[in-house]
């Protein structure tokens, strides 16, 4: 088996002044699966089967290189550099394809690990005016490519505290999108504690992806999410799921688990979420929080990796046997590897995706609202194309340190902008460990259950998030 995965363009030929050229370890990675030895090549993100003798030779070479990698490839008859697959020119700002609306910069829960500080982003609670929300839809349609699908996202805080506005925007966006020739889809992130029957019908009748914040079973969830009156946030979430079951389920219902040092065993949390009936359950490490006690540190990432791999092994076993197992991080990585998707950036933030604040400012993403360094224009004046271009030029993964010297750079993209701006990159070893597991798992799943990678029969249900596309790391 030789699998060619095209994920990228070649790094810039000239490093920044004073920077050294990436070493050989940044260009290739030997790994092993149940089916033997394999080679991952960063240039083009390709995977090859290798004889064990060749694999051992390559590993020795990366430790003590003699001559160039190109010379070694010719000696070993590996067709790795017959053409350059990657050119590192930063992306130009594309047309907008997604815009999230921070319709309610306030929340009905108090969670110490919330990056948005209960939706206030360090400021005062506020709601998006109706005229601003409709202007956001108009701006997205005006700056989208002709005829392209677009995504309108609803964020907070808790967006369902502005339910009347959400309902009105959905109706307006579909009318305006149809008139302009743009199919419109919707994404919403919620704690699900205030959902009503009319909301469930809205989600079911329109192309919605709904992502629910979940932190485990009743004890685990309530330990992190506090209600003003002291009741159980978990019980209210379960009541919200019952409302969806009775009155209408969205096309894709996902659970997102924010992992802190206080989170229980991840496999237990994962299986609890799957048992609740979610179409997908995924984990995200809390790297930056208003209270540092909730943050995963460089030291605790080791335990996080062990638990993520435990979950991944369970997913690999179940999927290899032909059984559904919706572990979102794992499935995203498998499909991204199979498609060979290029990731010179970690997500679409500042590129095809922007986020609108309650007062009409545009920012690189919903996690960077009210951050001057990530301001990208306004709804009134339009997106700031030079600011977006500068953002993409500065943050191309080949212009980041230590990213440009990492073999996983085109699968990772350099890390979440919000987290990097606050904490740097404490999780690099975790990311490499997770991706090396995913490479092994990908080879094994291709052999055990190739049908997993076939498109499903019937109309495709495309889960969306405002910042899509994501990297193979899946925003960890």
């Amino acid at each position: 088996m030789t699998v060619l995965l095209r994920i990228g363009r070649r790094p810039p030929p000239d490093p920044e002044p004073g920077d050294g050229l990436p070493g050989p370890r940044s260009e290739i990675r030997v790994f092993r699966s149940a089916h033997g030895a394999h080679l991952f090549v960063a240039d083009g993100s390709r995977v090859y089967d290798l004889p064990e003798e060749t694999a051992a030779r390559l590993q020795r070479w990366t430790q003590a290189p003699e001559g160039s990698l190109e010379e070694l490839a010719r000696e070993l008859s590996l067709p790795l550099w017959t053409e350059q697959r990657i050119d590192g020119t930063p992306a130009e700002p594309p047309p907008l394809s997604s815009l999230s609306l921070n319709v309610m910069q306030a929340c009905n829960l108090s969670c110490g690990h919330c990056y948005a500080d209960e939706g206030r982003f360090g400021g005062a609670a506020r709601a998006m005016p109706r005229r601003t929300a409709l202007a956001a839809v108009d701006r997205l349609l005006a700056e989208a490519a002709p005829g392209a699908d677009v995504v309108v996202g609803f964020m907070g805080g808790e967006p369902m505290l502005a339910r009347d506005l959400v309902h009105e925007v959905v109706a307006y966006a579909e009318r305006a999108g149809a008139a302009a020739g743009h199919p419109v889809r919707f994404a919403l992130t919620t704690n699900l504690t205030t959902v009503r029957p009319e909301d469930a019908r809205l989600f079911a009748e329109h192309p919605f992806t709904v992502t629910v914040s979940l932190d485990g079973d009743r004890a685990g969830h309530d330990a992190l999410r506090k209600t003003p009156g002291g009741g159980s946030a978990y019980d209210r979430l379960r009541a919200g799921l019952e409302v969806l079951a009775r009155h209408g389920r969205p096309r894709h219902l996902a659970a997102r688990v924010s992992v802190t040092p206080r989170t229980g065993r991840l496999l237990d949390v994962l299986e609890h979420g799957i048992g609740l009936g979610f179409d997908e359950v995924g984990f995200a490490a809390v790297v930056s929080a208003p209270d540092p006690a909730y943050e995963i540190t460089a030291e605790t990432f080791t335990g996080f990796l062990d638990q993520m791999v435990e979950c991944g092994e369970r997913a690999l076993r179940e999927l290899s046997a032909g059984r559904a197992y919706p572990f979102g991080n794992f499935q995203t990585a498998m499909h991204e590897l199979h498609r060979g998707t290029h990731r010179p950036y970690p997500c679409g933030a500042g590129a095809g995706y922007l986020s609108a604040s309650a007062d009409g400012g545009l920012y690189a993403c919903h996690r960077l609202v009210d951050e001057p360094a990530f301001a990208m224009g306004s709804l009134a004046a339009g997106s700031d194309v030079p600011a977006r271009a500068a953002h993409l030029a500065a943050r191309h993964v080949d212009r980041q340190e230590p990213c440009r010297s990492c073999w996983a750079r085109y699968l990772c993209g350099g890390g979440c902008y919000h987290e990097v701006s606050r904490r740097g990159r404490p999780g690099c070893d975790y990311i490499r460990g997770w991706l090396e597991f995913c490479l092994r798992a990908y080879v094994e799943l291709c052999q055990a259950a190739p049908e997993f990678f076939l498109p499903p029969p019937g109309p495709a249900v495309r889960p969306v998030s405002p910042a899509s596309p994501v990297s193979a790391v899946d925003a960890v």
Side-chain angles (χ1 to χ4, degrees):
M1 179 189 71
T2 297
V3 184
L4 300 181
L5 304 177
R6 192 179 191 286
I7 313 182
R9 301 179 300 173
R10 190 166 183 79
D14 299 318
E16 296 295 320
D19 288 346
L21 290 171
R25 296 181 193 178
S26 68
E27 300 305 321
I28 61 174
R29 183 75 173 179
V30 173
F31 68 98
R32 289 171 174 78
S33 75
H35 303 286
H38 315 278
L39 177 67
F40 173 79
V41 182
D43 179 19
S45 294
R46 291 164 285 160
V47 174
Y48 296 89
D49 285 340
L50 289 178
E52 180 57 40
E53 181 180 348
T54 303
R57 173 73 187 281
L58 282 169
Q59 283 185 305
R60 290 194 300 270
W61 186 89
T62 59
Q63 297 300 319
E66 296 179 3
S68 71
L69 194 54
E70 289 85 349
E71 291 170 345
L72 181 66
R74 285 193 292 270
E75 177 188 335
L76 298 177
S77 300
L78 297 175
L80 307 187
W81 289 274
T82 54
E83 63 174 298
Q84 292 184 350
R85 283 170 162 75
I86 304 177
D87 120 2
T89 306
E92 293 296 324
L96 291 185
S97 58
S98 182
L99 185 67
S100 64
L101 284 60
N102 287 272
V103 291
M104 179 59 71
Q105 291 185 213
C107 188
N108 62 323
L109 299 182
S110 179
C111 310
H113 62 292
C114 178
Y115 70 86
D117 187 26
E118 299 180 25
R120 299 187 300 265
F121 295 93
R126 57 196 189 275
M128 179 176 281
R130 173 181 180 275
R131 64 182 180 278
T132 302
L134 302 186
V137 174
D138 293 339
R139 176 55 58 193
L140 173 60
L141 297 176
E143 298 197 23
D149 287 18
V150 296
V151 177
V152 175
F154 299 100
M155 306 294 294
E158 172 49 52
M160 293 317 297
L161 297 181
R163 66 172 27 83
D164 290 345
L165 182 61
V166 170
H167 283 251
E168 183 174 2
V169 168
V170 169
Y172 179 80
E174 290 201 329
R175 291 195 306 271
H182 292 286
V184 182
R185 292 177 288 149
F186 303 95
L188 182 140
T189 298
T190 175
N191 58 39
L192 208 64
T193 61
T194 65
V195 67
R196 298 176 182 172
E198 59 267 31
D199 306 325
R201 289 189 288 270
L202 180 81
F203 301 153
E205 293 168 3
H206 302 275
F208 259 91
T209 290
V210 174
T211 301
V212 177
S213 300
L214 175 72
D215 291 309
D217 60 12
R218 192 175 192 271
H221 191 82
D222 287 345
L224 291 171
R225 299 180 181 272
K226 308 298 183 183
T227 62
S232 170
Y234 179 83
D235 289 349
R236 294 174 67 175
L237 182 153
R238 291 294 300 267
L241 288 173
E242 288 296 322
V243 171
L244 297 183
R246 290 197 306 269
H247 298 282
R249 182 184 175 93
R251 298 187 186 185
H252 190 80
L253 182 64
R256 184 75 164 190
V257 181
S258 298
V259 180
T260 78
R262 306 179 188 186
T263 303
R265 182 187 180 206
L266 296 191
L267 183 58
D268 294 340
V269 176
L270 173 61
E271 299 212 323
H272 182 77
I274 292 173
L276 292 177
F278 287 101
D279 300 314
E280 173 187 344
V281 181
F283 297 108
V286 175
V287 176
S288 176
D291 183 348
Y294 291 95
E295 295 175 347
I296 299 292
T297 65
E299 293 73 23
T300 52
F301 262 115
T302 300
F304 180 54
L305 173 60
D306 292 342
Q307 293 203 54
M308 285 290 287
V309 170
E310 181 184 29
C311 294
E313 294 283 12
R314 177 66 60 85
L316 176 61
R317 185 163 63 250
E318 294 298 310
L319 294 170
S320 295
R323 296 185 289 268
Y325 198 81
F327 176 24
N329 304 69
F330 183 83
Q331 295 199 136
T332 295
M334 294 301 101
H335 287 299
E336 291 295 292
L337 288 171
H338 195 69
R339 285 197 296 265
T341 309
H342 175 212
R343 294 292 180 235
Y345 303 97
C347 65
Y353 167 60
L354 295 176
S355 188
S357 66
D359 59 8
L362 289 174
Y363 297 87
C365 88
H366 53 279
R367 300 187 72 177
L368 294 164
V369 164
D370 294 342
E371 289 282 347
F374 292 92
M376 301 279 167
S378 68
L379 294 176
S383 71
D384 186 336
V385 175
R388 293 167 63 201
H391 165 82
L392 294 172
R395 292 173 176 85
H396 192 289
V397 70
D398 292 316
R399 298 175 184 268
Q400 304 295 308
E401 290 291 358
C403 306
R404 66 187 302 269
S405 300
C406 176
W407 64 266
R409 60 192 181 276
Y410 302 124
L411 298 177
C412 165
C416 168
Y417 303 130
H418 173 265
E419 293 170 357
V420 170
S421 69
R422 285 159 174 76
R423 291 279 314 283
R425 296 181 171 91
C428 291
D429 288 341
Y430 157 72
I431 289 170
R432 282 186 287 265
W434 171 246
L435 288 175
E436 186 146 8
F437 162 74
C438 288
L439 285 168
R440 170 177 70 80
Y442 173 67
V443 173
E444 294 178 5
L445 188 59
C446 281
Q447 294 293 314
E451 64 277 6
F452 171 79
F453 298 99
L454 297 175
V461 177
R462 294 179 291 172
V464 296
S465 70
S468 294
V470 297
S471 72
V473 181
D474 194 27
V476 297

